Coordinates of all heavy atoms in Angstrom, one line a residue:
M1343 N 136.2 82.8 72.3 CA 134.9 83.2 72.9 C 133.9 82.0 73.0 O 133.8 81.3 72.0 CB 134.3 84.3 72.1 CG 133.5 85.3 72.9 SD 132.7 86.6 72.0 CE 133.5 86.6 70.4
T1344 N 133.3 81.8 74.1 CA 132.3 80.7 74.2 C 130.9 81.1 73.8 O 130.7 82.3 73.7 CB 132.2 80.2 75.7 OG1 131.7 81.3 76.5 CG2 133.6 79.8 76.2
E1345 N 130.1 80.1 73.5 CA 128.7 80.5 73.1 C 128.0 81.3 74.2 O 127.2 82.2 73.9 CB 127.9 79.2 72.8 CG 128.2 78.5 71.5 CD 127.9 79.4 70.3 OE1 126.9 80.0 70.3 OE2 128.8 79.4 69.4
E1346 N 128.3 80.9 75.4 CA 127.7 81.6 76.5 C 128.1 83.1 76.5 O 127.3 84.0 76.8 CB 128.2 80.9 77.8 CG 127.2 81.1 78.9 CD 127.7 80.6 80.3 OE1 128.4 79.6 80.2 OE2 127.4 81.2 81.3
Q1347 N 129.4 83.3 76.3 CA 129.8 84.7 76.2 C 129.2 85.5 75.1 O 128.8 86.7 75.3 CB 131.4 84.8 76.1 CG 132.1 84.4 77.3 CD 133.6 84.3 77.1 OE1 134.0 83.8 76.1 NE2 134.4 84.6 78.1
K1348 N 129.0 84.8 74.0 CA 128.3 85.5 72.9 C 126.9 85.9 73.2 O 126.4 87.0 72.9 CB 128.3 84.6 71.6 CG 129.6 84.4 71.0 CD 129.5 83.4 69.8 CE 130.9 83.1 69.4 NZ 130.9 82.0 68.3
V1349 N 126.2 85.0 73.9 CA 124.8 85.3 74.3 C 124.8 86.4 75.3 O 123.9 87.3 75.2 CB 124.1 84.0 74.9 CG1 122.8 84.3 75.5 CG2 124.0 82.9 73.8
K1350 N 125.8 86.4 76.2 CA 125.8 87.5 77.2 C 126.1 88.8 76.5 O 125.5 89.8 76.9 CB 126.9 87.2 78.2 CG 126.4 86.2 79.3 CD 127.4 86.0 80.4 CE 126.8 85.0 81.4 NZ 127.9 84.3 82.1
I1351 N 127.0 88.9 75.6 CA 127.3 90.1 74.9 C 126.1 90.7 74.2 O 125.7 91.8 74.4 CB 128.4 89.9 73.8 CG1 129.8 89.6 74.4 CG2 128.5 91.1 72.9 CD1 130.9 89.3 73.4
R1352 N 125.3 89.8 73.5 CA 124.1 90.2 72.9 C 123.1 90.7 73.9 O 122.6 91.8 73.7 CB 123.5 89.0 72.1 CG 122.1 89.2 71.6 CD 121.8 88.1 70.6 NE 122.5 88.2 69.4 CZ 122.0 88.9 68.3 NH1 120.9 89.6 68.4 NH2 122.7 89.0 67.2
R1353 N 122.9 90.0 74.9 CA 121.9 90.5 76.0 C 122.3 91.8 76.5 O 121.5 92.7 76.7 CB 121.9 89.5 77.1 CG 121.3 88.2 76.8 CD 120.0 87.9 77.6 NE 119.2 86.9 77.0 CZ 119.6 85.6 77.1 NH1 120.6 85.2 77.9 NH2 118.9 84.7 76.5
M1354 N 123.6 92.0 76.8 CA 124.1 93.2 77.4 C 124.0 94.4 76.5 O 123.6 95.5 76.8 CB 125.5 93.1 77.9 CG 125.6 92.2 79.2 SD 127.3 92.0 79.8 CE 127.5 93.5 80.7
R1355 N 124.2 94.1 75.2 CA 124.1 95.2 74.2 C 122.6 95.6 74.1 O 122.3 96.8 73.9 CB 124.6 94.7 72.8 CG 126.1 94.6 72.6 CD 126.7 96.0 72.8 NE 126.4 96.9 71.7 CZ 126.3 98.2 71.8 NH1 126.4 98.8 73.0 NH2 126.1 98.9 70.8
L1356 N 121.7 94.6 74.1 CA 120.3 94.9 74.0 C 119.8 95.7 75.2 O 118.9 96.4 75.1 CB 119.5 93.6 73.8 CG 119.7 92.8 72.5 CD1 118.9 91.6 72.5 CD2 119.6 93.7 71.3
D1357 N 120.5 95.5 76.3 CA 120.2 96.3 77.5 C 120.8 97.7 77.5 O 120.7 98.4 78.4 CB 120.6 95.6 78.8 CG 119.7 94.4 79.1 OD1 118.6 94.3 78.5 OD2 120.1 93.5 79.9
G1358 N 121.5 98.0 76.4 CA 122.1 99.3 76.3 C 123.5 99.5 76.9 O 124.0 100.6 77.1
N1359 N 124.2 98.4 77.2 CA 125.5 98.5 77.8 C 126.6 98.8 76.7 O 126.5 98.3 75.6 CB 125.9 97.1 78.5 CG 125.1 96.9 79.7 OD1 125.3 97.5 80.7 ND2 124.1 96.0 79.6
G1360 N 127.6 99.5 77.1 CA 128.7 99.9 76.2 C 129.7 98.7 76.1 O 129.7 97.8 76.9
Y1361 N 130.5 98.8 75.0 CA 131.5 97.8 74.8 C 132.5 97.6 75.9 O 132.8 96.5 76.3 CB 132.4 98.1 73.5 CG 131.5 98.3 72.3 CD1 131.6 99.5 71.6 CD2 130.7 97.3 71.8 CE1 130.8 99.7 70.4 CE2 129.9 97.5 70.7 CZ 130.0 98.7 70.0 OH 129.3 98.9 68.9
K1362 N 132.9 98.7 76.5 CA 133.9 98.7 77.6 C 133.3 98.0 78.8 O 134.0 97.1 79.4 CB 134.3 100.1 78.0 CG 135.6 100.6 77.5 CD 135.9 101.9 78.1 CE 136.9 102.7 77.2 NZ 137.0 104.1 77.5
H1363 N 132.1 98.3 79.1 CA 131.5 97.6 80.3 C 131.3 96.1 80.0 O 131.6 95.3 80.9 CB 130.1 98.3 80.5 CG 129.3 97.7 81.6 ND1 129.8 97.8 82.9 CD2 128.2 96.9 81.7 CE1 128.9 97.2 83.7 NE2 128.0 96.6 83.0
I1364 N 130.9 95.8 78.8 CA 130.8 94.3 78.5 C 132.1 93.6 78.6 O 132.2 92.6 79.2 CB 130.1 94.2 77.1 CG1 128.7 94.8 77.1 CG2 130.1 92.7 76.7 CD1 128.1 94.9 75.7
A1365 N 133.1 94.3 78.0 CA 134.5 93.6 78.0 C 135.0 93.4 79.4 O 135.5 92.3 79.7 CB 135.4 94.5 77.2
S1366 N 134.8 94.4 80.3 CA 135.3 94.2 81.6 C 134.4 93.2 82.4 O 135.0 92.5 83.3 CB 135.4 95.6 82.3 OG 134.2 96.2 82.5
T1367 N 133.2 93.2 82.2 CA 132.3 92.3 82.9 C 132.6 90.8 82.5 O 132.7 89.9 83.4 CB 130.8 92.6 82.6 OG1 130.5 93.9 82.9 CG2 129.9 91.7 83.4
L1368 N 132.8 90.6 81.2 CA 133.0 89.2 80.8 C 134.5 88.9 80.7 O 134.8 87.7 80.3 CB 132.4 89.0 79.4 CG 130.8 89.3 79.3 CD1 130.4 89.1 77.9 CD2 130.1 88.4 80.3
I1369 N 135.3 89.8 81.1 CA 136.8 89.6 81.0 C 137.2 89.2 79.6 O 137.8 88.1 79.4 CB 137.3 88.7 82.1 CG1 136.6 89.0 83.4 CG2 138.8 88.9 82.3 CD1 136.7 87.9 84.5
L1370 N 136.9 90.0 78.6 CA 137.3 89.7 77.3 C 138.0 91.0 76.7 O 137.7 92.1 77.2 CB 136.0 89.5 76.4 CG 135.3 88.2 76.5 CD1 133.9 88.2 75.9 CD2 136.1 87.1 75.8
P1371 N 138.8 90.8 75.7 CA 139.5 92.0 75.2 C 138.4 92.9 74.5 O 137.5 92.4 73.9 CB 140.4 91.5 74.1 CG 140.6 90.0 74.4 CD 139.3 89.6 75.1
L1372 N 138.6 94.2 74.6 CA 137.6 95.1 74.1 C 137.4 94.9 72.5 O 136.3 95.0 72.0 CB 138.1 96.6 74.3 CG 137.2 97.7 73.9 CD1 135.8 97.6 74.6 CD2 137.8 99.1 74.3
S1373 N 138.6 94.6 71.9 CA 138.5 94.5 70.4 C 137.7 93.2 70.0 O 137.0 93.2 69.0 CB 139.9 94.3 69.9 OG 140.6 93.3 70.5
T1374 N 137.7 92.2 70.9 CA 136.9 91.0 70.6 C 135.4 91.3 70.7 O 134.6 90.9 69.8 CB 137.3 89.9 71.7 OG1 138.7 89.7 71.6 CG2 136.5 88.6 71.4
V1375 N 135.1 92.1 71.7 CA 133.7 92.4 71.9 C 133.2 93.3 70.8 O 132.1 93.1 70.2 CB 133.5 93.2 73.3 CG1 132.1 93.7 73.4 CG2 133.8 92.3 74.5
K1376 N 134.0 94.3 70.4 CA 133.7 95.2 69.3 C 133.5 94.5 68.0 O 132.5 94.7 67.3 CB 134.7 96.3 69.2 CG 134.5 97.5 70.0 CD 135.5 98.6 69.6 CE 135.4 99.8 70.6 NZ 136.5 100.7 70.4
S1377 N 134.4 93.6 67.7 CA 134.3 92.9 66.4 C 133.2 92.0 66.3 O 132.5 91.8 65.3 CB 135.6 92.3 66.0 OG 136.0 91.3 66.9
Y1378 N 132.9 91.3 67.5 CA 131.7 90.4 67.5 C 130.4 91.2 67.3 O 129.6 90.8 66.5 CB 131.6 89.7 68.9 CG 130.3 88.9 69.0 CD1 130.2 87.7 68.3 CD2 129.3 89.4 69.7 CE1 129.0 87.0 68.4 CE2 128.1 88.7 69.8 CZ 128.0 87.5 69.1 OH 126.8 86.8 69.2
C1379 N 130.3 92.4 67.9 CA 129.1 93.2 67.8 C 129.0 93.7 66.3 O 127.9 93.7 65.8 CB 129.2 94.4 68.7 SG 129.0 93.9 70.4
K1380 N 130.1 94.1 65.7 CA 130.1 94.5 64.3 C 129.5 93.5 63.4 O 128.7 93.7 62.5 CB 131.5 94.9 63.9 CG 131.6 96.3 63.5 CD 133.0 96.6 63.0 CE 133.3 98.1 62.9 NZ 134.7 98.4 62.7
R1381 N 130.1 92.2 63.6 CA 129.7 91.1 62.7 C 128.2 90.7 62.9 O 127.6 90.1 62.1 CB 130.5 89.9 63.0 CG 131.9 89.9 62.4 CD 132.5 88.5 62.3 NE 132.4 87.8 63.6 CZ 133.3 87.9 64.6 NH1 134.4 88.6 64.4 NH2 133.2 87.3 65.7
N1382 N 127.7 91.0 64.1 CA 126.3 90.5 64.4 C 125.3 91.6 64.5 O 124.2 91.4 65.1 CB 126.4 89.7 65.7 CG 127.1 88.4 65.4 OD1 126.6 87.4 64.9 ND2 128.4 88.4 65.7
G1383 N 125.5 92.8 63.9 CA 124.5 93.8 63.9 C 124.2 94.4 65.3 O 123.1 94.8 65.5
L1384 N 125.2 94.4 66.1 CA 124.9 94.9 67.5 C 125.6 96.3 67.7 O 126.0 96.6 68.8 CB 125.4 93.9 68.5 CG 124.7 92.5 68.5 CD1 125.5 91.6 69.4 CD2 123.3 92.7 69.0
V1385 N 125.8 97.0 66.6 CA 126.5 98.3 66.8 C 125.4 99.4 66.9 O 124.3 99.2 66.6 CB 127.4 98.6 65.5 CG1 128.6 97.8 65.6 CG2 126.6 98.4 64.2
G1386 N 125.9 100.5 67.5 CA 125.0 101.6 67.7 C 124.5 101.7 69.2 O 125.0 100.9 70.0
V1387 N 123.6 102.6 69.5 CA 123.1 102.8 70.8 C 122.1 101.7 71.2 O 121.5 101.1 70.3 CB 122.5 104.2 71.1 CG1 123.6 105.2 71.1 CG2 121.5 104.5 70.0
G1388 N 122.0 101.4 72.5 CA 121.1 100.3 72.9 C 119.7 100.2 72.3 O 119.4 99.2 71.7
P1389 N 119.0 101.3 72.3 CA 117.6 101.2 71.7 C 117.6 100.8 70.2 O 116.7 100.1 69.8 CB 117.0 102.6 71.9 CG 117.8 103.2 73.0 CD 119.2 102.6 72.9
V1390 N 118.6 101.3 69.5 CA 118.7 101.0 68.1 C 119.0 99.5 67.9 O 118.4 98.8 67.1 CB 119.7 101.9 67.4 CG1 119.9 101.5 65.9 CG2 119.3 103.4 67.4
V1391 N 120.0 99.1 68.7 CA 120.4 97.7 68.6 C 119.1 96.8 69.0 O 118.9 95.8 68.2 CB 121.5 97.4 69.7 CG1 121.8 95.9 69.7 CG2 122.8 98.1 69.3
A1392 N 118.4 97.2 70.0 CA 117.2 96.4 70.4 C 116.2 96.4 69.3 O 115.6 95.3 69.0 CB 116.6 97.0 71.7
M1393 N 116.0 97.5 68.6 CA 115.0 97.6 67.6 C 115.4 96.7 66.4 O 114.6 96.0 65.9 CB 114.8 99.0 67.1 CG 113.6 99.3 66.3 SD 113.7 101.0 65.7 CE 114.9 100.8 64.4
N1394 N 116.7 96.8 66.0 CA 117.1 96.0 64.9 C 117.0 94.5 65.2 O 116.6 93.7 64.3 CB 118.6 96.3 64.6 CG 118.8 97.7 63.9 OD1 117.8 98.2 63.3 ND2 120.0 98.2 64.1
N1395 N 117.3 94.2 66.4 CA 117.2 92.8 66.9 C 115.7 92.3 66.8 O 115.5 91.2 66.3 CB 117.7 92.7 68.3 CG 117.8 91.2 68.7 OD1 118.7 90.5 68.3 ND2 116.9 90.8 69.6
D1396 N 114.8 93.2 67.3 CA 113.4 92.8 67.2 C 112.9 92.6 65.8 O 112.2 91.6 65.5 CB 112.6 94.0 67.8 CG 112.3 93.8 69.2 OD1 112.8 92.9 69.8 OD2 111.5 94.6 69.8
V1397 N 113.3 93.4 64.9 CA 112.9 93.3 63.5 C 113.5 92.0 62.9 O 112.8 91.2 62.3 CB 113.4 94.5 62.7 CG1 113.3 94.2 61.2 CG2 112.7 95.7 63.1
S1398 N 114.7 91.7 63.3 CA 115.3 90.4 62.8 C 114.6 89.2 63.3 O 114.4 88.2 62.6 CB 116.8 90.4 63.2 OG 117.5 91.5 62.6
V1399 N 114.2 89.3 64.6 CA 113.5 88.2 65.2 C 112.2 88.0 64.5 O 111.8 86.9 64.2 CB 113.4 88.4 66.8 CG1 112.4 87.4 67.3 CG2 114.7 88.2 67.4
Q1400 N 111.5 89.1 64.3 CA 110.1 89.0 63.7 C 110.2 88.5 62.3 O 109.3 87.8 61.9 CB 109.5 90.4 63.7 CG 108.7 90.7 65.0 CD 108.5 92.2 65.2 OE1 108.4 92.9 64.2 NE2 108.4 92.6 66.4
L1401 N 111.2 88.8 61.6 CA 111.4 88.3 60.2 C 111.9 86.9 60.2 O 111.9 86.3 59.2 CB 112.3 89.2 59.5 CG 111.9 90.7 59.2 CD1 113.0 91.4 58.5 CD2 110.7 90.7 58.3
G1402 N 112.2 86.4 61.4 CA 112.7 85.0 61.5 C 114.1 84.9 61.0 O 114.5 83.8 60.5
L1403 N 114.9 86.0 61.0 CA 116.2 85.9 60.5 C 117.2 85.3 61.5 O 118.2 84.7 61.2 CB 116.7 87.3 60.1 CG 116.0 88.0 59.0 CD1 116.5 89.4 58.8 CD2 116.2 87.2 57.7
I1404 N 116.9 85.6 62.8 CA 117.8 85.2 63.9 C 117.1 84.5 65.0 O 115.9 84.7 65.2 CB 118.6 86.4 64.4 CG1 117.7 87.4 65.0 CG2 119.5 87.0 63.4 CD1 118.4 88.5 65.8
C1405 N 117.8 83.7 65.7 CA 117.3 82.9 66.9 C 116.9 84.0 68.0 O 117.7 84.9 68.3 CB 118.4 82.0 67.4 SG 118.0 81.2 69.0
R1406 N 115.8 83.8 68.6 CA 115.3 84.7 69.6 C 116.2 84.7 70.8 O 116.2 85.7 71.5 CB 113.8 84.3 69.9 CG 113.1 85.4 70.7 CD 111.7 84.9 71.0 NE 110.8 85.2 69.9 CZ 109.5 85.2 70.1 NH1 109.0 84.8 71.2 NH2 108.8 85.5 69.0
N1407 N 116.8 83.6 71.1 CA 117.6 83.5 72.3 C 119.1 83.9 72.1 O 119.5 84.8 72.8 CB 117.6 82.1 72.8 CG 118.3 81.9 74.1 OD1 118.0 82.6 75.1 ND2 119.3 81.0 74.1
C1408 N 119.7 83.3 71.1 CA 121.2 83.6 71.0 C 121.5 84.5 69.8 O 122.7 85.0 69.7 CB 121.9 82.3 70.9 SG 121.7 81.4 69.3
G1409 N 120.6 84.8 68.9 CA 120.8 85.7 67.8 C 121.6 85.1 66.6 O 122.0 85.7 65.7
K1410 N 121.7 83.7 66.7 CA 122.3 83.0 65.6 C 121.4 83.1 64.3 O 120.2 83.1 64.4 CB 122.5 81.6 66.0 CG 123.8 80.9 65.5 CD 123.8 79.5 65.9 CE 124.8 79.2 66.9 NZ 124.8 77.8 67.4
R1411 N 122.0 83.2 63.2 CA 121.2 83.2 61.9 C 120.5 81.9 61.8 O 121.1 80.9 62.0 CB 122.1 83.5 60.7 CG 122.8 84.8 60.7 CD 122.5 85.6 59.5 NE 122.9 87.0 59.8 CZ 122.0 88.0 59.7 NH1 120.7 87.8 59.4 NH2 122.4 89.2 60.0
L1412 N 119.2 82.0 61.4 CA 118.4 80.8 61.2 C 118.4 80.4 59.8 O 118.3 81.2 58.9 CB 117.0 81.0 61.7 CG 116.7 81.3 63.2 CD1 115.3 81.6 63.4 CD2 117.1 80.1 64.0
K1413 N 118.4 79.1 59.6 CA 118.3 78.5 58.2 C 116.9 78.0 58.1 O 116.4 77.3 59.0 CB 119.3 77.4 58.0 CG 120.7 77.8 57.8 CD 121.5 76.6 57.4 CE 123.0 76.9 57.9 NZ 123.5 75.8 58.7
H1414 N 116.2 78.4 57.1 CA 114.8 78.0 56.9 C 114.7 77.0 55.8 O 115.4 77.1 54.8 CB 113.9 79.2 56.6 CG 113.7 80.1 57.8 ND1 113.0 79.8 58.9 CD2 114.3 81.3 58.1 CE1 113.1 80.7 59.8 NE2 113.8 81.7 59.3
T1415 N 113.9 76.0 56.0 CA 113.7 75.0 55.0 C 112.4 75.3 54.3 O 111.3 75.5 55.0 CB 113.6 73.6 55.7 OG1 114.6 73.5 56.7 CG2 113.8 72.5 54.6
A1416 N 112.4 75.4 53.0 CA 111.2 75.7 52.3 C 110.1 74.7 52.6 O 110.3 73.5 52.6 CB 111.5 75.7 50.8
G1417 N 108.9 75.2 52.8 CA 107.7 74.4 53.0 C 107.6 74.0 54.5 O 106.5 73.4 54.8
K1418 N 108.5 74.3 55.3 CA 108.4 74.0 56.7 C 108.1 75.3 57.5 O 108.3 76.4 57.0 CB 109.7 73.4 57.2 CG 109.9 71.9 56.9 CD 110.9 71.3 57.9 CE 110.9 69.8 57.6 NZ 112.1 69.2 58.3
K1419 N 107.5 75.0 58.7 CA 107.1 76.1 59.5 C 108.4 77.0 59.9 O 109.4 76.4 60.1 CB 106.5 75.6 60.8 CG 105.5 76.5 61.4 CD 104.9 75.9 62.7 CE 104.7 76.9 63.7 NZ 104.8 76.5 65.1
R1420 N 108.2 78.3 59.9 CA 109.4 79.1 60.2 C 109.8 78.9 61.7 O 108.9 78.9 62.6 CB 109.0 80.6 60.0 CG 108.9 80.9 58.5 CD 108.6 82.3 58.3 NE 109.8 83.1 58.3 CZ 110.6 83.2 57.2 NH1 110.3 82.6 56.1 NH2 111.7 83.9 57.2
K1421 N 111.1 78.8 61.9 CA 111.6 78.6 63.2 C 111.8 80.0 63.9 O 112.0 81.0 63.3 CB 112.9 77.9 63.2 CG 112.8 76.5 62.8 CD 114.2 75.8 62.9 CE 115.0 76.2 61.6 NZ 116.2 75.4 61.5
V1422 N 111.7 79.9 65.2 CA 112.0 81.1 66.0 C 113.3 81.0 66.8 O 114.1 81.9 67.0 CB 110.9 81.4 67.0 CG1 111.1 82.7 67.8 CG2 109.5 81.5 66.3
F1423 N 113.7 79.7 67.1 CA 114.9 79.4 67.8 C 115.7 78.5 67.0 O 115.2 77.7 66.2 CB 114.6 78.7 69.2 CG 113.7 79.6 70.1 CD1 112.4 79.3 70.2 CD2 114.3 80.6 70.8 CE1 111.6 80.1 71.0 CE2 113.5 81.4 71.6 CZ 112.2 81.2 71.7
C1424 N 117.1 78.5 67.2 CA 117.9 77.7 66.4 C 118.0 76.3 66.9 O 118.3 75.4 66.1 CB 119.4 78.3 66.4 SG 120.2 78.2 68.0
S1425 N 117.6 76.1 68.1 CA 117.7 74.7 68.7 C 116.7 74.6 69.9 O 116.2 75.6 70.4 CB 119.1 74.4 69.2 OG 119.4 75.3 70.2
D1426 N 116.5 73.4 70.3 CA 115.6 73.1 71.5 C 116.2 73.8 72.7 O 115.5 74.2 73.6 CB 115.5 71.6 71.7 CG 114.2 71.1 71.2 OD1 113.5 71.9 70.5 OD2 113.8 70.0 71.6
K1427 N 117.6 73.7 72.8 CA 118.3 74.2 73.9 C 118.0 75.7 74.1 O 117.7 76.2 75.2 CB 119.8 74.0 73.7 CG 120.6 74.1 74.9 CD 122.1 73.8 74.6 CE 122.9 74.9 75.3 NZ 124.1 75.2 74.6
C1428 N 118.0 76.4 73.0 CA 117.8 77.9 73.0 C 116.3 78.1 73.4 O 116.0 79.1 74.1 CB 118.1 78.5 71.6 SG 119.8 79.0 71.5
R1429 N 115.4 77.3 72.9 CA 114.0 77.5 73.2 C 113.8 77.4 74.7 O 113.1 78.2 75.3 CB 113.1 76.5 72.5 CG 111.6 76.8 72.6 CD 110.9 75.8 71.7 NE 111.3 74.4 71.8 CZ 110.8 73.6 72.8 NH1 110.0 74.1 73.7 NH2 111.3 72.4 72.9
K1430 N 114.4 76.4 75.3 CA 114.2 76.1 76.7 C 114.9 77.3 77.5 O 114.3 77.8 78.5 CB 114.8 74.8 77.1 CG 113.9 73.6 76.8 CD 114.5 72.3 77.2 CE 113.7 71.2 76.5 NZ 114.6 70.1 76.1
Q1431 N 116.1 77.6 77.1 CA 116.8 78.7 77.8 C 116.0 80.0 77.8 O 115.9 80.6 78.8 CB 118.2 78.9 77.1 CG 119.3 79.4 77.9 CD 120.6 79.5 77.1 OE1 120.6 80.1 76.1 NE2 121.6 78.8 77.6
Y1432 N 115.4 80.3 76.6 CA 114.7 81.5 76.5 C 113.5 81.5 77.4 O 113.2 82.4 78.2 CB 114.2 81.7 75.1 CG 113.4 82.9 74.8 CD1 114.0 84.1 74.5 CD2 112.0 82.9 74.9 CE1 113.3 85.3 74.3 CE2 111.3 84.1 74.7 CZ 111.9 85.2 74.4 OH 111.2 86.4 74.2
W1433 N 112.7 80.4 77.4 CA 111.5 80.4 78.3 C 111.8 80.3 79.7 O 111.1 80.7 80.6 CB 110.6 79.2 77.8 CG 110.0 79.6 76.5 CD1 110.1 78.9 75.3 CD2 109.2 80.7 76.1 NE1 109.5 79.5 74.3 CE2 108.9 80.7 74.8 CE3 108.7 81.8 76.9 CZ2 108.2 81.6 74.1 CZ3 108.0 82.8 76.2 CH2 107.7 82.7 74.8
N1434 N 113.0 79.6 80.1 CA 113.4 79.6 81.5 C 113.6 81.1 82.0 O 113.2 81.4 83.0 CB 114.7 78.9 81.6 CG 114.5 77.4 81.8 OD1 113.4 77.0 82.3 ND2 115.4 76.6 81.5
L1435 N 114.3 81.8 81.1 CA 114.6 83.2 81.5 C 113.4 84.1 81.5 O 113.2 84.9 82.4 CB 115.6 83.8 80.4 CG 117.0 83.7 80.8 CD1 117.9 83.8 79.5 CD2 117.4 84.8 81.8
H1436 N 112.5 83.8 80.6 CA 111.3 84.7 80.5 C 110.1 84.3 81.3 O 109.1 85.0 81.4 CB 111.0 84.9 79.0 CG 112.0 85.7 78.3 ND1 111.8 87.0 78.0 CD2 113.2 85.4 77.8 CE1 112.9 87.5 77.4 NE2 113.8 86.5 77.3
D1437 N 110.2 83.2 81.9 CA 109.1 82.7 82.7 C 109.6 82.6 84.2 O 108.9 82.1 85.0 CB 108.7 81.3 82.3 CG 107.3 81.3 81.7 OD1 106.6 82.4 81.8 OD2 107.0 80.3 81.1
G1438 N 110.7 83.2 84.5 CA 111.3 83.1 85.8 C 111.6 81.7 86.3 O 111.5 81.4 87.5
G1439 N 111.8 80.8 85.3 CA 112.1 79.4 85.7 C 110.9 78.5 85.9 O 111.1 77.3 86.0
K1440 N 109.7 79.1 85.9 CA 108.5 78.3 86.0 C 108.2 77.5 84.7 O 108.5 78.0 83.7 CB 107.3 79.2 86.3 CG 107.3 79.7 87.8 CD 106.1 80.6 87.9 CE 106.4 82.0 87.3 NZ 105.3 82.9 87.1
V1441 N 107.6 76.4 84.9 CA 107.2 75.7 83.7 C 105.6 75.6 83.7 O 105.0 75.3 84.7 CB 107.7 74.2 83.6 CG1 107.3 73.5 82.4 CG2 109.2 74.3 83.7
Ligands
ZN1469 ZN1 119.8 80.0 69.4

């Protein structure tokens, strides 16, 4: 599974899509999609997944873009994104590409 596919799975789950739909859209085995979701707290119905994700983002546990676990350094400002790449990707998506 590529990083891009992981991000897509997460996005689709947050939009309330089922495993089957995601698997067929991304052309991945259903079991791969399911186990990825299990490992990353993306199980349950869409709204619940979205809510859990929101809480994790607010607590600074995961990257707002890709959902990767964030490592925090004591004494430093809390991060929201795991990398510059994710920050840019997120704002591109959420600003309709405008800068
Ligand atoms: Zn990230």
Side-chain angles (χ1 to χ4, degrees):
M1343 214 181 343
T1344 64
E1345 283 301 316
E1346 206 188 325
Q1347 285 171 325
K1348 288 179 191 173
V1349 172
K1350 278 185 184 155
I1351 293 177
R1352 171 169 285 274
R1353 289 242 164 79
M1354 289 180 80
R1355 284 299 290 147
L1356 296 181
D1357 285 343
N1359 292 286
Y1361 303 122
K1362 257 189 206 164
H1363 179 68
I1364 297 172
S1366 63
T1367 304
L1368 300 179
I1369 319 165
L1370 283 167
L1372 186 60
S1373 57
T1374 304
V1375 174
K1376 271 188 185 168
S1377 62
Y1378 173 77
C1379 290
K1380 240 185 196 170
R1381 281 200 311 272
N1382 291 278
L1384 297 170
V1385 286
V1387 289
V1390 173
V1391 173
M1393 194 187 75
N1394 287 338
N1395 187 72
D1396 265 8
V1397 170
S1398 301
V1399 167
Q1400 272 162 27
L1401 293 175
L1403 296 175
I1404 59 170
C1405 171
R1406 191 179 276 194
N1407 184 56
C1408 70
K1410 219 183 248 173
R1411 297 237 162 239
L1412 293 174
K1413 284 186 209 125
H1414 291 286
T1415 318
K1418 280 201 176 167
K1419 209 181 144 209
R1420 290 182 85 79
K1421 287 184 283 190
V1422 183
F1423 301 102
C1424 67
S1425 62
D1426 258 14
K1427 199 179 133 213
C1428 270
R1429 188 172 50 80
K1430 281 182 194 140
Q1431 209 176 53
Y1432 180 87
W1433 290 119
N1434 273 337
L1435 266 160
H1436 290 261
D1437 249 350
K1440 285 175 283 165
V1441 181

